Short mmCIF file of all heavy atoms in Angstrom, two decimals:
data_model
loop_
_atom_site.label_atom_id
_atom_site.label_comp_id
_atom_site.label_asym_id
_atom_site.label_seq_id
_atom_site.Cartn_x
_atom_site.Cartn_y
_atom_site.Cartn_z
N HIS A 342 14.64 43.01 -23.91
CA HIS A 342 14.99 42.58 -22.56
C HIS A 342 13.83 41.80 -21.97
O HIS A 342 12.73 41.77 -22.55
CB HIS A 342 15.34 43.78 -21.67
CG HIS A 342 14.17 44.62 -21.28
ND1 HIS A 342 13.65 45.63 -22.08
CD2 HIS A 342 13.38 44.61 -20.17
CE1 HIS A 342 12.61 46.19 -21.47
NE2 HIS A 342 12.43 45.59 -20.31
N VAL A 343 14.07 41.17 -20.83
CA VAL A 343 13.04 40.38 -20.13
C VAL A 343 12.95 40.92 -18.70
O VAL A 343 13.97 41.30 -18.11
CB VAL A 343 13.43 38.88 -20.12
CG1 VAL A 343 12.43 38.05 -19.32
CG2 VAL A 343 13.53 38.34 -21.56
N GLN A 344 11.74 40.98 -18.16
CA GLN A 344 11.56 41.38 -16.75
C GLN A 344 10.82 40.27 -16.01
O GLN A 344 9.86 39.73 -16.54
CB GLN A 344 10.68 42.63 -16.66
CG GLN A 344 11.23 43.84 -17.36
CD GLN A 344 10.32 45.08 -17.18
OE1 GLN A 344 9.36 45.06 -16.41
NE2 GLN A 344 10.65 46.13 -17.88
N ILE A 345 11.28 39.97 -14.82
CA ILE A 345 10.54 39.02 -13.98
C ILE A 345 10.26 39.73 -12.65
O ILE A 345 11.19 40.16 -11.96
CB ILE A 345 11.35 37.72 -13.75
CG1 ILE A 345 11.70 37.07 -15.09
CG2 ILE A 345 10.56 36.75 -12.86
CD1 ILE A 345 12.57 35.83 -14.99
N THR A 346 8.98 39.88 -12.34
CA THR A 346 8.59 40.56 -11.10
C THR A 346 7.79 39.61 -10.23
O THR A 346 6.87 38.95 -10.71
CB THR A 346 7.69 41.79 -11.42
OG1 THR A 346 8.47 42.79 -12.05
CG2 THR A 346 7.06 42.38 -10.17
N VAL A 347 8.16 39.50 -8.96
CA VAL A 347 7.32 38.78 -7.99
C VAL A 347 7.07 39.75 -6.84
O VAL A 347 7.93 39.93 -5.96
CB VAL A 347 7.98 37.49 -7.48
CG1 VAL A 347 7.03 36.77 -6.51
CG2 VAL A 347 8.35 36.56 -8.62
N GLY A 348 5.93 40.41 -6.89
CA GLY A 348 5.60 41.38 -5.85
C GLY A 348 4.66 40.76 -4.83
O GLY A 348 3.73 40.04 -5.20
N GLU A 349 4.93 41.03 -3.56
CA GLU A 349 4.03 40.54 -2.49
C GLU A 349 3.64 41.71 -1.61
O GLU A 349 4.48 42.57 -1.31
CB GLU A 349 4.76 39.51 -1.63
CG GLU A 349 5.12 38.24 -2.37
CD GLU A 349 5.59 37.18 -1.39
OE1 GLU A 349 6.79 37.15 -1.08
OE2 GLU A 349 4.73 36.41 -0.93
N THR A 350 2.38 41.72 -1.16
CA THR A 350 1.94 42.81 -0.28
C THR A 350 2.22 42.47 1.19
O THR A 350 2.34 43.36 2.01
CB THR A 350 0.42 43.05 -0.44
OG1 THR A 350 -0.24 41.79 -0.29
CG2 THR A 350 0.11 43.63 -1.81
N VAL A 351 2.33 41.18 1.49
CA VAL A 351 2.54 40.76 2.89
C VAL A 351 3.93 41.16 3.37
O VAL A 351 4.85 41.33 2.57
CB VAL A 351 2.38 39.23 3.07
CG1 VAL A 351 0.95 38.79 2.86
CG2 VAL A 351 3.33 38.46 2.15
N GLY A 352 4.05 41.27 4.68
CA GLY A 352 5.37 41.48 5.27
C GLY A 352 5.92 40.13 5.72
O GLY A 352 5.33 39.08 5.45
N VAL A 353 7.03 40.17 6.43
CA VAL A 353 7.65 38.92 6.88
C VAL A 353 6.92 38.40 8.13
O VAL A 353 6.73 37.19 8.28
CB VAL A 353 9.15 39.14 7.15
CG1 VAL A 353 9.77 37.91 7.79
CG2 VAL A 353 9.87 39.50 5.85
#
Side-chain angles (χ1 to χ4, degrees):
H342 72 276
V343 176
Q344 299 182 8
I345 303 177
T346 290
V347 182
E349 295 191 272
T350 52
V351 291
V353 173

